[in-house]
Each structure stands twice: as structure tokens, then as C-alpha cells.
Amino acid sequence: MKKFLSMVMAAAMVVSLVPATAFAASDDVKATAKVVDSKNYTQDEIEKDNVISGPELQLTFTTADYTTAESSAEIEVTLDNADFSDDASLAGFAIKADGDTYKWQYPAGTFGETPLEGVDGKKLSLSVKEVNSDKDEVTLVLNGQMDRGWVLTMDLTSVMDKTSKGKTATVSVDSDDIKITNGDDLTYASVEAAGIKASVKDTVDIATEEVATIKDIKVEPAVGDTFAAAFGNDAKSYEFKLKLNSGFEFTNSTSNPITFKEAGISPVVEYDDDEIIIKVGTGIKASDVMTIKDLDVEATSAKAGSTATIKVYATGCDTVSVEVAKVVDYTVVMSVDEDEDVPVIYSGVNVDNKGITDDSDHETLEVTIKESFAGAWNNSKDFTLSVPEGVYIVDVVDEAFDNDANSSSFDTQAWFEAAYEEGDYVDLTFKRRGWEETNPDDHDPAELTFKLVVVADPNFEGDVVLKLTGDAVDEQEVTVAKFVKPYTVEAQQNDMQIDYRNTEIPTSVVIKEAEAGLWDKETTFELTLDKIEFDDEGKIAVDDKSGLEVKDDEIKVDKDGVLSFEVSSRSDDEPAVVTISGLQLYMERSLPAGAYDLDMVSPEMNTPYVNTVVLNGANDKVDGDPRAIHDINDDFVSYTAKAGFVNIITAGREDTDSFTTKVVVPVGESYLISGENKVEIPVPAYINAAGYTMLPLRAVAVALGINENNVLWDQSTRTATVMYGSKIINMTYGQKVVYVNGAMIPATAAVEITNDRMFLGLRDLGNALGVTDITWDAATKTATLNGNK
């Protein structure tokens, strides 16, 4: 003690020599305080040797904006529940600068201001200005210029005043010359209860009824160096118990490796479903760490969201818990980046966008398919990726399968090609065992990423929804692209009677460009009608704002009755609008009544499209040529511009006065007899509440020989129309009347709709068709319409 006080007095004498210039300002010099290597003691340990040795106070200078190198600062260091020890001599100071440590070395028996040289050529000195009488507060004086990032350190060798369980020793730092952050009540020593603590290297994911391997569970003393303190210093043997919470069980055998840091310890291990008992024999040395490796845990009944927790019991110690696993859904998730815009692609053109000026690459958004945890994606089951009908996959790009179980040589491109071929070039069907399943022990979920290159039929418009299905996955959908048509057609239905040649269509056809400048120069458009030829060119007009021009300012009709026009100059500021009017038809007199669609095609756009080679098409050839879209879609259809553009309302040469077919309709049966033929019908005839036999209109009409196209339905008015020869028969749901060529005929029963189909009374249908010989057999519940002889 005398030695300590004498050094303090010497230090106080030196203080009078310190320059009066202080640091520039507290805002200009800033430092952050912290304690490193703090100590935890049991009560026995701290009472046996009361000196705290090892912790260090560090003052890191975060700002050092000095006005002069001759600066000085006072720093107060205060201990709580501890005093500086006599043997510490307050000499454990150092500067840590630029990776090096510079210590102050005080001459034996003195404690005065001692210079520290060699830190970037700067001169620094430190002195103790004052130590209070309780030896728990020291005032230091730091002379010289510190740099940003330098650290002033101080050993906190001291003696605790109170050493009962729960007590702590703290240090506080304050200064009027330096702005100190986090300088209050920093704990550098504590007294804790003896006991154990448990930890796990990593928590793992697990699915219900699945097994996961827990790696490196460690059990060690909570404080102190050995289990002796934890169990009591008189303990001769040790017993631990590990217990799982409800819903989980251990699945290991007794061969599971349990090791101690102390060599030569061989514990006895007993397994019992959700419990493990570990016994360490008498007379062993008490080790400081027990490690349990590769412990297998099964989620026997725990549901998604539950947590597997192991409680560790030790005789005489408090119970501790450690979370080791979390139950997750056994899922595979497909996703796209929601922040990315869905790419817009034009339909009916190939990847090179022939016929249009668009420069899109036809790539979809990047798709990610990832398992929720390692092993969730079962490779023993098929899964399928499908796109909408009318969309075709030309290529797969940026594909990667991140899965540690597969070697770097895994060919993802070939995997996709095989899946497309397996799916008959409509879907991607990935067969089982196509890749190595991930190992749950690796904790590395498999992840597949890719982009598709796609094209679409001219008729396709809308979102490309990629669908994931299969026994190994939940059904999911993501939107990866959107198709729009490069042109749209506006037209109306035209009800027409056959008039052989030069039959003029009273309405116009309007063709609109999707965006300005889209149609390329020399692009041709062709319009056709099914079974009907155009008979004259008609007139063509282009809007006066777009700047688009048509070759020769006319449309043409070739020898096959196909109408066409060609772009000679692209549009400029606005999309083009092309109007075709005055069209005339050549109509064969034998044409049946019914609706005929107007189709439109651009050879420059659509011909390259149908010849587009699909994914792996170059390897899977048809008659020596690479497989293309036309090989998959043999019934390739051009763009249907207007369904039912021409509607022939009277047939050419049908005999309306000689209906000779005999039709037998058994009530309640899914068939009828037409002449000598048995005809299946989707719904049977029935007897309604008023006692009338009701016939399914469309089924009976077709059985009578009427073309199905001549049985029409208008949803808006809920009206059915049957065109038979020169007769046009109309009937409306709920009405008790039938119209024949506009003439009203009273009906015996109101028209009904059953199972989404229209039903008409037996006699009412016969009357409308001109059949007067109708019989009813009550015994067999059979109605017969006897055609005229």
C-alpha cells in the first residue's frame, strides 16, 4: 500500500508540469469505450483468489481533430464494486496504433509522467493525476496528439468488494476534454451460479415425419473451467439427461458418438425415444466440454412452425434448453422477381421477329424453383412445367441447378431438352431420378433457375402462366411473359343469303397496328374465308396520321379468292389504321347455312414462325429435318380475325317439304334412334311438371340431320335458332311460343333450360319442323316423330 501511495504522490508532482493547453473541444475529439475479455466467476473461485485479472478497458478514438500537437486531456476512470489492487501499480497502459502495440514502461518504484515515443514519430505521455482515497477512481492526463483509430488501453486488474452470486464489477469513463460514447457502467467481471450451459452449432429444418441430423450439441460449465464446480466439487461421477419436447423423438442407436474434451472418457449412453441418459463413471477427471455429434431427431407428429427443443438436465444444476430444429412445410417454391417488369412479346412471329421491327429477345422472367430445405424436393417423383396452349418453348437460357449433390458437370440444358421431348414438346416433363437428390446433412437446399425463350400462335394473346405440378410439389403458377398481337381486326357479323356471285358484304373490316412503326416494309397481309372466296378487290383506305403506305394503294384478290395488301412504307408517329370496304363474295349455291370465320395471316410474320425449331428440335428430327412448330401443331390455324364474319341464314338447296326421318326418343335414356342409327345424346329427354315430354333441342336437331352449325345460341337473349332449309326457327327461354320465319306459333309448353341445355316440347318441335305424325307410347315412355312419307 505504501508503495502504491508513493507512486501516486510522485505522479501528482509531475502533473504540475503538464501544459495548460487542453484538447480543442469535446466535439472535436471523440472516443468509444468498451471492455474486452470480461470475466465470469463462481462464488468459490472469486472468494479463493479475489483479484480480477485479464479484463481490459479500451478507449478507441473515432474523431481526433486537434488544433495543436501539444494537446492534453484529463480522463477519469471509476470502478464500481471494486478497487484497484496494490500490485497492479496502475502501470498497465498501452497505445494500439496501426496494428502495433506500444506500452508505457515505468521505472521501478516510480509512477511519473513517462514519454512514449515511436508511434508514427509522435510523442505521447501519460500520467496519473490523482487516485481517490477509496482507490476506485483514477484521474489520468494524456499529453500529445492521438490519431483517429488509435486505442488507449488500461488493465483492469482489481479486487471486488462484494462477491456473492449475482454481483458485478463495472467501470465508467468520463472526460471534459473528450466526448466519450458508451462510457457508463461497463461490466468487466461477474459472479454467477455454478451450473451448465448448452449450445448447438446450427439449427436445422425438418419436415413432419422426417429425420434431421443435429450437429455438435455442446454441454459445458456455465462458469469456471470444469464440471466439478457445476456438479459440486465433491462429485465423483456425472449424469446428464437430454429430453426432447412433445412431437419429436431421437432415432440414434447406442453407437452415436459422444465425446469429452478430456481424453480417455467413455460415457455410458441409454436411448429411450425422446430421452437420452449419459453417465460418466466414478473417478474420472472432470472435463470442460461434452460434445454430441450427429444426433438424429425425427418430427414424429410436430407440425410446421413447431420447434424441437432439447432440455439438458444435470444433477444439482439448473435445467437448460437449446433449440435444435424447426419444422417446415415439405415444399418446393416457384417464384419470379416481383420487381421485374413482365416482358411483352408479339405473337405469331419467330424469335427473330420477322415481319415486324420489334427487337425483343422473347425471353421470360427468370424463374427460381427452390426447395424449402435440403431434401424436400423428392427426385423419385416426376414433376411438370407447362405453358398455355399455343405457346412453345424455343430455348432455355441462363439455366443453373445449384445442388451440392450434383457434380459441376451436370448438364441442365440437356435435362430441359429431355423433359421437353418427354412432354411431346407441349410441356416439360421431368422424369424421376433426373438429378441427385440433395442430402439433408448438407443444409443446402437445391435451387433451379432459368429463363425460357418462347413464341406463341397468332391467335394467342395474354399472360404466359408457367405452371408447376407433380407428386413431389404443390401446384403453383407464376406469370413469366405476356403476348400481344401485332395487329387487331375489328369486324361485324354479316347475315347473308346466298346470291352466287358478287354478293357484297355490307360492313367494313378495320385492321389496326399494335404500335407505330411495327409493321415492317414489304410485309403482306392476307384475308380468307372458309369455303367462300372473295370475288372482287373492294376498297382500301389508310388513315392520314400514321404515315403508313400500301403498295399501289390497293388490295388484290388472287385466283384462289385470297384477298391481300402489302406495306410499302412503315408508319411513323402513330399506329396505322387500315380500313377495307366493299368486299364481294363468290358463294357456291350448295353452301350449307351457318357461320363462316374470317381469317388473317401475314406470310412474312407467320411462315418463319411455323418453321421455328423448338427446344431440342435439332436433335429430334422429323423426316431428317429439325422438329419445328408445324410438326407439333399439324392443324396450325392462322389468326381468326372475326368468328362468324359471314353467317348464311338460308341453305342453298335443302328440301324443306320432304322430312322423311323417323326419330324415336325414349324418355330418360341417353340415346335416341334416328332412322336406323342409334345416336348418343349428352342429356336425356324428360317429362316436365306439366306432363309434357321435353326434348334436348340441339341433340334432337342434329339427329334429324340438321348441321350442328345451324343450331345457334344467343346468350344475351337466351334465344336458340335452328336453320333448316328455308326455315328459321326461333325460341326463347321461358316463352310459350315458337317463331318460324318470323311467324308466331303458339306452343303447348314453355321453353326450359335444364343442365345448361335448352329443352323444347316434343309436339312444339315437331310442329316447327313440319312433322305432324307424332306418337306417344305411355307403357315404354317413348315418343316417335314420323317423318312425312
Side-chain angles (χ1 to χ4, degrees):
M1 177 63 71
K2 291 180 180 179
K3 177 181 177 182
F4 177 80
L5 293 178
S6 64
M7 288 188 293
V8 171
M9 292 176 65
M13 293 175 64
V14 175
V15 169
S16 62
L17 302 177
V18 176
T21 305
F23 280 14
S26 61
D27 287 339
D28 296 331
V29 182
K30 299 177 182 178
T32 299
K34 71 174 181 179
V35 168
V36 296
D37 297 330
S38 59
K39 291 290 186 179
N40 298 326
Y41 298 98
T42 66
Q43 191 169 355
D44 289 343
E45 287 174 331
I46 195 64
E47 288 179 350
K48 180 180 180 181
D49 183 5
N50 204 17
V51 177
I52 300 168
S53 179
E56 181 180 87
L57 172 65
Q58 293 186 353
L59 201 61
T60 302
F61 285 76
T62 56
T63 301
D65 187 7
Y66 299 96
T67 58
T68 173
E70 300 299 326
S71 300
S72 67
E74 289 191 2
I75 304 170
E76 292 181 357
V77 180
T78 304
L79 304 183
D80 185 40
N81 193 36
D83 300 326
F84 291 108
S85 60
D86 291 344
D87 57 356
S89 70
L90 292 174
F93 296 100
I95 292 287
K96 294 182 179 180
D98 303 326
D100 295 319
T101 300
Y102 303 88
K103 294 184 178 181
W104 269 279
Q105 299 295 331
Y106 292 92
T110 66
F111 195 81
E113 183 181 82
T114 304
L116 177 69
E117 298 186 12
V119 185
D120 287 348
K122 297 183 178 181
K123 293 184 178 181
L124 296 169
S125 65
L126 186 73
S127 62
V128 176
K129 178 180 179 180
E130 182 181 0
V131 179
N132 70 346
S133 59
D134 293 330
K135 297 182 295 183
D136 60 3
E137 183 175 296
V138 175
T139 303
L140 308 174
V141 178
L142 176 65
N143 289 320
Q145 182 177 331
M146 296 286 284
D147 278 358
R148 179 179 179 180
W150 287 10
V151 182
L152 173 63
T153 69
M154 175 182 182
D155 288 341
L156 293 174
T157 303
S158 54
V159 177
M160 290 188 72
D161 296 336
K162 297 178 181 179
T163 57
S164 57
K165 184 173 67 174
K167 295 297 182 180
T168 61
T170 64
V171 59
S172 299
V173 190
D174 191 22
S175 174
D176 291 334
D177 304 308
I178 304 171
K179 185 175 182 180
I180 297 176
T181 303
N182 196 38
D184 296 332
D185 299 328
L186 302 173
T187 299
Y188 66 94
S190 61
V191 182
E192 299 181 8
I196 59 172
K197 61 182 179 180
S199 62
V200 65
K201 183 177 181 180
D202 186 22
T203 58
V204 298
D205 292 330
I206 186 174
T208 302
E209 299 182 357
E210 295 291 332
V211 176
T213 300
I214 314 300
K215 291 188 176 182
D216 292 359
I217 298 176
K218 290 187 177 182
V219 180
E220 54 192 317
V223 293
D225 296 329
T226 69
F227 281 126
F231 282 80
N233 290 314
D234 297 332
K236 302 297 183 181
S237 63
Y238 308 94
E239 180 175 300
F240 303 89
K241 180 172 72 173
L242 278 62
K243 186 173 180 61
L244 272 168
N245 55 318
S246 176
F248 302 90
E249 290 184 1
F250 296 110
T251 61
N252 292 76
S253 67
T254 55
S255 62
N256 192 60
I258 297 177
T259 62
F260 284 79
K261 187 174 181 180
E262 187 72 40
I265 297 178
S266 299
V268 176
V269 184
E270 300 174 1
Y271 289 88
D272 183 17
D273 295 335
D274 63 349
E275 189 173 278
I276 299 176
I277 296 177
I278 303 167
K279 297 180 179 178
V280 184
T282 303
I284 66 158
K285 295 180 179 179
S287 172
D288 57 349
V289 178
M290 175 178 69
T291 303
I292 309 167
K293 291 182 175 293
D294 301 327
L295 191 62
D296 291 337
V297 171
E298 180 182 2
T300 53
S301 60
K303 303 302 181 183
S306 302
T307 300
T309 301
I310 294 178
K311 287 187 176 181
V312 184
Y313 301 84
T315 305
C317 300
D318 293 336
T319 303
V320 295
S321 299
V322 58
E323 293 184 358
V324 295
K326 182 178 180 181
V327 183
V328 296
D329 287 329
Y330 193 90
T331 57
V332 176
V333 178
M334 180 171 67
S335 63
V336 293
D337 189 343
E338 298 293 343
D339 294 330
E340 291 289 333
D341 293 333
V342 175
V344 177
I345 311 171
Y346 284 104
S347 51
V349 298
N350 70 351
V351 176
D352 295 329
N353 296 307
K354 296 292 185 181
I356 61 175
T357 60
D358 185 65
D359 61 356
S360 67
D361 54 16
H362 287 240
E363 289 184 4
T364 67
L365 291 176
E366 183 176 72
V367 179
T368 299
I369 304 177
K370 185 175 183 179
E371 54 186 356
S372 57
F373 64 95
W377 201 347
N378 190 337
N379 78 341
S380 66
K381 298 179 180 179
D382 299 354
F383 70 94
T384 298
L385 289 169
S386 56
V387 292
E389 182 179 359
V391 176
Y392 302 93
I393 301 171
V394 177
D395 200 358
V396 56
V397 296
D398 298 340
E399 71 281 2
F401 192 37
D402 183 10
N403 177 5
D404 289 346
N406 291 286
S407 67
S408 58
S409 61
F410 182 76
D411 193 338
T412 310
Q413 175 83 17
W415 188 40
F416 270 84
E417 291 176 355
Y420 204 32
E421 184 176 1
E422 187 69 32
D424 293 330
Y425 303 97
V426 176
D427 299 326
L428 291 160
T429 301
F430 296 86
K431 303 299 288 184
R432 65 183 62 187
R433 306 299 179 188
W435 78 97
E436 293 296 327
E437 190 169 344
T438 50
N439 185 347
D441 292 344
D442 294 335
H443 302 288
D444 183 23
E447 180 174 310
L448 172 65
T449 57
F450 60 91
K451 293 179 182 177
L452 299 176
V453 179
V454 290
V455 294
D457 284 346
N459 281 327
F460 186 87
E461 185 172 33
D463 291 338
V464 178
V465 177
L466 184 67
K467 181 182 293 186
L468 172 65
T469 56
D471 293 336
V473 297
D474 294 331
E475 182 173 319
Q476 299 168 64
E477 294 181 349
V478 291
T479 299
V480 296
K482 181 178 182 178
F483 276 99
V484 297
K485 298 173 183 177
Y487 48 78
T488 57
V489 178
E490 296 178 358
Q492 301 176 22
Q493 178 174 304
N494 297 273
D495 295 333
M496 305 187 66
Q497 294 182 344
I498 291 178
D499 195 17
Y500 196 48
R501 301 212 60 151
N502 302 116
T503 305
E504 185 169 347
I505 298 176
T507 63
S508 300
V509 176
V510 179
I511 305 166
K512 294 183 177 181
E513 190 178 25
E515 65 173 301
L518 181 64
W519 299 344
D520 208 354
K521 185 179 178 180
E522 298 181 355
T523 298
T524 303
F525 295 93
E526 297 178 351
L527 284 79
T528 57
L529 277 167
D530 183 30
K531 299 180 183 178
I532 303 176
E533 297 178 5
F534 288 105
D535 201 26
D536 199 0
E537 289 84 355
K539 299 177 182 179
I540 187 168
V542 182
D543 69 283
D544 56 4
K545 295 181 180 180
S546 65
L548 181 133
E549 295 180 1
V550 175
K551 185 177 181 181
D552 300 329
D553 294 325
E554 64 180 18
I555 53 177
K556 299 178 180 180
V557 175
D558 65 14
K559 61 182 179 61
D560 296 320
V562 176
L563 182 149
S564 66
F565 66 91
E566 180 181 331
V567 175
S568 60
S569 178
R570 293 196 309 224
S571 61
D572 189 7
D573 296 330
E574 295 188 17
V577 179
V578 178
T579 302
I580 300 175
S581 59
L583 296 176
Q584 296 184 4
L585 304 178
Y586 171 70
M587 304 172 70
E588 295 285 352
R589 293 185 181 268
S590 60
L591 284 170
Y596 297 84
D597 297 342
L598 174 67
D599 289 343
M600 183 168 174
V601 67
S602 169
E604 288 74 22
M605 297 181 197
N606 304 142
T607 301
Y609 167 74
V610 298
N611 292 320
T612 297
V613 176
V614 299
L615 179 64
N616 196 34
N619 298 324
D620 181 22
K621 298 186 177 182
V622 180
D623 298 329
D625 295 324
R627 183 178 292 275
I629 289 175
H630 61 75
D631 297 313
I632 304 168
N633 186 358
D634 294 331
D635 299 323
F636 176 77
V637 179
S638 60
Y639 170 45
T640 301
K642 173 61 180 178
F645 177 63
V646 171
N647 181 35
I648 299 177
I649 59 175
T650 56
R653 291 181 178 176
E654 289 193 67
D655 186 351
T656 62
D657 297 320
S658 57
F659 180 74
T660 59
T661 305
K662 178 181 178 181
V663 178
V664 179
V665 184
V667 172
E669 300 292 342
S670 297
Y671 70 90
L672 52 78
I673 306 298
S674 178
E676 300 296 327
N677 301 316
K678 182 179 181 181
V679 180
E680 301 290 337
I681 57 176
V683 290
Y686 64 88
I687 298 175
N688 70 3
Y692 294 104
T693 302
M694 306 299 290
L695 304 181
L697 177 63
R698 182 180 292 275
V700 173
V702 172
L704 292 172
I706 299 173
N707 190 307
E708 187 172 4
N709 290 333
N710 292 345
V711 183
L712 308 177
W713 170 252
D714 185 342
Q715 178 63 33
S716 62
T717 62
R718 308 185 84 176
T719 297
T721 300
V722 177
M723 295 182 291
Y724 178 67
S726 59
K727 291 182 178 180
I728 300 176
I729 306 168
N730 304 103
M731 59 216 73
T732 301
Y733 168 69
Q735 294 186 4
K736 204 172 182 180
V737 63
V738 177
Y739 291 88
V740 179
N741 291 340
M744 183 180 68
I745 301 176
T748 57
V751 177
E752 298 179 358
I753 293 179
T754 304
N755 295 330
D756 295 328
R757 289 173 171 82
M758 176 170 279
F759 282 75
L760 186 65
L762 169 68
R763 295 189 179 276
D764 300 327
L765 179 59
N767 290 336
L769 294 173
V771 179
T772 57
D773 186 1
I774 301 172
T775 60
W776 168 253
D777 187 336
T780 61
K781 292 187 177 180
T782 300
T784 303
L785 286 81
N786 297 289
N788 300 322
K789 304 301 183 183

